[in-house]
Amino acid sequence: MPVLNELGAARRIVIKVGSALLVGPDGAAHGAWLADFAADLARLRARGQQVLVVSSGAVALGRRRLGLGKRALSLPEKQAAAAAGQSALMRAWEEALGPHGFACAQVLLTRDDTETRRRWLNARATVETLLSLGVIPVVNENDTVVTEEIRVGDNDRLSARVAQLVGAEALVLLSDVEGLYTADPRRDPTATLIPRVARLTPQIEAMAGGANAAAGVGTGGMATKLEAARIASQAGCATVITLGTRSGPLAAIEAGAPATVIEPATTPRAAYKAWIGGSLSPAGALTVDAGAAAAVARGKSLLAAGVRSVDGRFDKGECVRVLDPDGREIARGLVRYESGHAARICGLKSAAIEAAIGYTSGPLVHADDLALAAHAAISG
Ligand code: GLU
């Protein structure tokens, strides 16, 4: 399958832009590159695709603002540089995207936000809202508040987590290398670019080791790119590694410019359901009547009317077990009401929910957020 299909067919695309592209040798933002790239993004948006950008450059731009030069920085200095540079970074994106009529929004994430379920759900809800409003989220790690031990550390992996967060079908890593080579092309004239990787095998990973691991300026070399690709692949997202310095890098790869595509191992939907099904500690349980159990098994949403009892304490968005009248777990799902409200509406028809608790969020658990026991290999 050519790259064209992966990019062309994706509903949501996450694009990672590295510092080397964004920040010129003088330490200032690369306005011309950004303006050109914004036109490339506008083309995707005009085709009806949603885009998210993961942008590095805060530390690099902050160095200049704070007069830190090119020397090695201590962690507090890096954090200070990130704090000073992040606003310059956003200004650069606003100046580039504004002329195309796009609003952008700063989203700063930490590793906790992608690993703690409640924070993950929160971040996801915010990013979904931004996308539904037509905004282009510009994501970076919240470097100012994270220490070395708890950082994601590089935006390659962060961008894969973002792709997972939003269920993107394509992740593009724009860097200063054309893709994955069989060996380091600067040393080995026989090295060839690998256009497509169906599965990340140890052999493929070995190609990213050694000298190739250091390829690319910025934090991440080829090894972190493949790690990002692994996260993305398991989340149902294809990864494209390509050179970002070309004019219109996304249009270029669609027109056949060199790139490496790492194929997804699943679909975003299946990955999302597996994530729900694999929840280690559901916060509560909903016992449903036979009719609702049958409806859930057919892939329908769980309505309050079919729920007999609510156990446990949980917040809106948390994972709960769905039990049939015999107490057997038939599914897990993310609940749309906190436990107190869930208890008050169970047994009620949808039309009566608002009168009971003052609002409605639709079904107790939406079909999209339900993972059936039979399909999701729930461990019990
Ligand atoms: N978050 C860092 C920054 O904005 C960049 C990390 C990376 O490039 O991988 O400066």
Side-chain angles (χ1 to χ4, degrees):
M1 205 198 286
V3 172
L4 183 71
N5 292 2
E6 258 98 13
L7 272 191
R11 191 179 49 100
R12 281 191 179 163
I13 305 173
V14 175
I15 303 145
K16 184 255 174 176
V17 179
S19 301
L21 295 170
L22 262 165
V23 185
D26 58 349
H30 238 152
W33 186 88
L34 271 161
D36 181 72
F37 180 62
D40 212 7
L41 287 184
R43 200 180 48 84
L44 301 186
R45 286 283 304 251
R47 293 200 305 220
Q49 295 174 295
Q50 292 179 328
V51 295
L52 298 94
V53 173
V54 175
S55 174
S56 308
V59 174
L61 291 172
R63 274 178 182 275
R64 180 176 147 114
R65 272 204 171 167
L66 302 183
L68 294 168
K70 294 208 185 319
R71 67 179 168 82
L73 302 181
S74 67
L75 180 63
E77 282 174 334
K78 258 191 233 165
Q79 293 180 307
Q86 182 63 30
S87 54
L89 185 62
M90 286 312 295
R91 192 166 90 194
W93 279 108
E94 273 167 10
E95 280 171 3
L97 295 171
H100 295 277
F102 298 133
C104 56
Q106 167 179 283
V107 179
L108 296 179
L109 297 176
T110 62
R111 199 167 79 185
D112 257 9
D113 299 319
T114 61
E115 288 181 356
T116 309
R117 187 175 289 258
R118 192 176 305 178
R119 294 179 68 141
W120 195 92
L121 289 168
N122 237 323
R124 192 174 69 126
T126 305
V127 174
E128 286 289 343
T129 305
L130 288 171
L131 291 171
S132 71
L133 292 170
V135 174
I136 298 184
V138 178
V139 185
N140 197 359
E141 184 158 18
N142 196 353
D143 292 316
T144 302
V145 299
V146 291
T147 60
E148 215 57 76
E149 307 81 66
I150 60 160
R151 295 181 76 203
V152 177
D154 64 85
N155 279 6
D156 291 327
R157 271 180 300 190
L158 180 69
S159 63
R161 293 282 176 211
V162 170
Q164 180 180 36
L165 189 74
V166 300
E169 294 89 357
L171 164 66
V172 183
L173 302 177
L174 292 181
S175 72
D176 53 0
V177 286
E178 297 215 305
L180 176 67
Y181 282 83
T182 50
D184 183 352
R186 289 162 305 181
R187 287 160 205 235
D188 184 346
T190 66
T192 53
L193 184 96
I194 303 172
R196 186 162 283 273
V197 174
R199 217 161 55 82
L200 285 165
T201 59
Q203 289 90 319
I204 295 282
E205 273 165 11
M207 290 173 191
N212 244 357
V217 186
T219 322
M222 193 49 78
T224 67
K225 290 189 173 39
L226 290 196
E227 239 183 277
R230 176 180 297 286
I231 295 167
S233 172
Q234 282 162 5
C237 177
T239 302
V240 184
I241 302 173
T242 193
L243 190 65
T245 49
R246 288 190 187 93
S247 170
L250 304 171
I253 46 174
E254 290 194 72
T260 298
V261 178
I262 295 121
E263 294 178 1
T266 176
T267 64
R269 192 178 151 81
Y272 178 61
K273 298 236 167 181
W275 177 77
I276 294 171
S279 170
L280 291 180
S281 47
L286 307 173
T287 302
V288 306
D289 63 26
V296 165
R298 288 199 311 273
K300 301 275 186 241
S301 293
L302 176 59
L303 305 179
V307 178
R308 285 181 174 172
S309 66
V310 176
D311 293 297
R313 281 174 68 97
F314 46 82
D315 270 337
K316 180 177 160 81
E318 284 199 276
C319 184
V320 295
R321 296 179 206 271
V322 179
L323 309 176
D324 73 7
D326 299 325
R328 273 192 307 255
E329 183 169 333
I330 55 166
R332 284 182 191 186
L334 306 184
V335 70
R336 294 198 164 186
Y337 300 82
E338 53 92 0
S339 47
H341 287 163
R344 276 170 45 202
I345 64 171
C346 77
L348 296 184
K349 293 236 183 313
S350 301
I353 291 180
E354 189 153 357
I357 57 171
Y359 71 97
T360 175
S361 292
L364 211 44
V365 184
H366 192 274
D368 287 348
D369 302 323
L370 266 172
L372 298 185
H375 296 166
I378 288 173
S379 45

